[in-house]
Amino acid sequence: ANYLIWSKTPPRRVAAIMILLEFQNRIIVSALKEKVELLQASKESVGDEDTKIKMEGIAIVVADFDGVTYHLSNPDEVKTKVMVSIAMNFFNDLVPHGVLDVLKREYGALLQASPEPGYNASIVVDLETVDEATIQKVGMFRRNCFAAVFEKYFKIQQAGGVGGDKPAVINYRKNEAIFVSAMKDRVTVVFSVLFQDDDDIILGKVFLQEFKEGRRANQSAPQVLFSHKEPPQELKDAMGSGAQLYTGNNVGYVTFVLFAKHVEQAGKTIDLIHTFRDYLHYHIKCSKAYLHSRMRARTVSLLKVLNRAKQEVEGKEKKTAAGKSFVRK
């Protein structure tokens, strides 16, 4: 879909621009690059022990979207190696869909057989041999974990949809879940989204309307549907009568219908769709911040008008340029 940015003087419309959140973790990528550069500098450094550049260790805990955390450390105190461990509350939901196989395919020998205690998976990078492509791939650790469930159902769709009618359920946040199912002609991805207040629901509806408008302009965009308070009937039917689905005034369900052309571009589709919930709330918060700034600016403008409209007090003493006092009668 195409997302629109409006100028500060509506209704003049500016060019349509897509603002996307990064699906890589920039902190991890930056930290690994800095360590590689420091290692190279320490090798080239000359001088005595006091002036020579020394390789330093690393111990960083990094937060990411959806409650994901990373830990960067030196395994066995070896400063030329960095272990990157990931902790996801919903990792066990991904295991039946082949997340371990996807990680082995993407990281090969870098993936550790036994992850760091307290984490779900660990990668060890050798700073002396690592290249730029590997660093970028390590930054996509969270994305590659998410990819497992989507890749599984994309393959089911391409194989004719057999066995894909029962949705996969990924409880990626507290009281929020992703449902993925496949049929012979499409893959359906449903996000249950928990809104913090009533304003978020209104802004979310307006924002999601732009997805529908984007599909009118570009038929290659996926179909997007939104339901408020109750899950869509198709999801109810697929999950069965005994399923516990989230409901309430602050609950919404966003449905993406992905067709064969989206499945064929699996990598790009996964990059975009797995960050949708964060993307939605990011734009809701940006919209609220913009509206608040416009309201404050308008309030200041009206206060200036009121100040200019104040009448002078009759009989107030005034002074001339020479300092003499007089009272206007």
Side-chain angles (χ1 to χ4, degrees):
N2 295 319
Y3 312 113
L4 304 178
I5 297 176
W6 296 81
S7 66
K8 292 186 177 181
T9 56
R12 181 174 175 268
R13 203 172 187 178
V14 298
I17 303 174
M18 180 179 287
I19 301 178
L20 300 174
L21 300 179
E22 293 180 343
F23 50 86
Q24 290 178 319
N25 190 292
R26 182 177 292 190
I27 298 177
I28 292 177
V29 174
S30 298
L32 291 177
K33 286 184 177 180
E34 289 176 3
K35 286 301 176 184
V36 171
E37 293 173 358
L38 181 59
L39 177 61
Q40 186 64 29
S42 66
K43 289 182 177 180
E44 298 174 354
S45 177
V46 294
D48 55 31
E49 290 298 322
D50 294 331
T51 59
K52 187 177 180 180
I53 298 176
K54 297 180 181 179
M55 188 62 186
E56 298 178 353
I58 186 171
I60 304 175
V61 176
V62 182
D64 206 339
F65 294 121
D66 303 324
V68 175
T69 56
Y70 301 95
H71 182 216
L72 279 67
S73 60
N74 299 117
D76 302 322
E77 303 299 326
V78 179
K79 296 181 180 180
T80 58
K81 293 184 178 181
V82 175
M83 176 182 286
V84 182
S85 301
I86 188 171
M88 310 173 77
N89 295 328
F90 52 94
F91 190 86
N92 290 335
D93 291 344
L94 296 170
V95 171
H97 305 292
V99 63
L100 296 176
D101 293 333
V102 172
L103 294 179
K104 289 177 183 177
R105 182 195 69 202
E106 294 294 326
Y107 299 107
L110 301 181
L111 184 68
Q112 301 301 292
S114 299
E116 180 182 355
Y119 292 84
N120 301 114
S122 297
I123 297 170
V124 174
V125 177
D126 190 338
L127 299 177
E128 294 184 313
T129 59
V130 68
D131 55 17
E132 176 69 19
T134 302
I135 291 176
Q136 296 296 329
K137 189 179 291 187
V138 173
M140 297 168 62
F141 206 170
R142 171 180 171 273
R143 180 267 182 202
N144 289 331
C145 289
F146 256 116
V149 64
F150 295 110
E151 288 185 4
K152 175 183 176 180
Y153 279 82
F154 287 173
K155 291 177 181 177
I156 291 175
Q157 185 274 327
Q158 291 173 331
V162 178
D165 54 339
K166 183 65 175 179
V169 182
I170 309 300
N171 296 288
Y172 68 111
R173 296 178 68 91
K174 184 179 180 181
N175 298 328
E176 296 183 64
I178 302 174
F179 306 88
V180 187
S181 60
M183 300 182 71
K184 63 180 181 180
D185 60 341
R186 64 185 180 271
V187 174
T188 303
V189 182
V190 182
F191 288 83
S192 68
V193 182
L194 184 67
F195 295 100
Q196 297 299 321
D197 54 49
D198 295 338
D199 294 339
D200 288 359
I201 298 174
I202 296 171
L203 291 172
K205 287 182 177 179
V206 174
F207 180 75
L208 291 170
Q209 183 62 34
E210 288 295 335
F211 279 80
K212 294 183 179 180
E213 296 297 328
R215 191 167 192 269
R216 292 180 183 178
N218 184 2
Q219 291 299 315
S220 65
Q223 184 179 3
V224 181
L225 305 172
F226 177 72
S227 59
H228 180 215
K229 297 182 181 180
E230 294 288 336
Q233 188 61 45
E234 294 81 0
L235 181 61
K236 289 182 179 179
D237 295 340
M239 294 296 295
S241 58
Q244 296 294 325
L245 298 174
Y246 304 115
T247 58
N249 291 329
N250 61 340
V251 175
Y253 284 84
V254 184
T255 303
F256 287 88
V257 182
L258 307 176
F259 298 103
K261 53 192 172 186
H262 306 118
V263 174
E264 291 171 0
Q265 305 178 46
K268 183 178 180 181
T269 300
I270 294 170
D271 291 346
L272 297 177
I273 201 166
H274 89 280
T275 58
F276 168 74
R277 189 265 179 198
D278 311 303
Y279 177 85
L280 174 63
H281 280 274
Y282 168 79
H283 279 276
I284 288 175
K285 288 178 173 60
C286 287
S287 298
K288 292 172 74 172
Y290 176 72
L291 291 172
H292 291 164
S293 68
R294 297 296 296 171
M295 291 167 64
R296 287 192 292 268
R298 185 59 175 165
T299 301
V300 171
S301 176
L302 291 174
L303 287 174
K304 290 180 180 179
V305 173
L306 289 175
N307 289 334
R308 289 196 297 267
K310 288 182 179 179
Q311 296 183 352
E312 295 182 357
V313 180
E314 293 293 336
K316 183 178 180 180
E317 182 180 346
K318 295 190 175 183
K319 292 182 179 292
T320 65
K324 296 181 179 180
S325 300
F326 73 93
V327 178
R328 179 176 291 174
K329 298 182 178 179

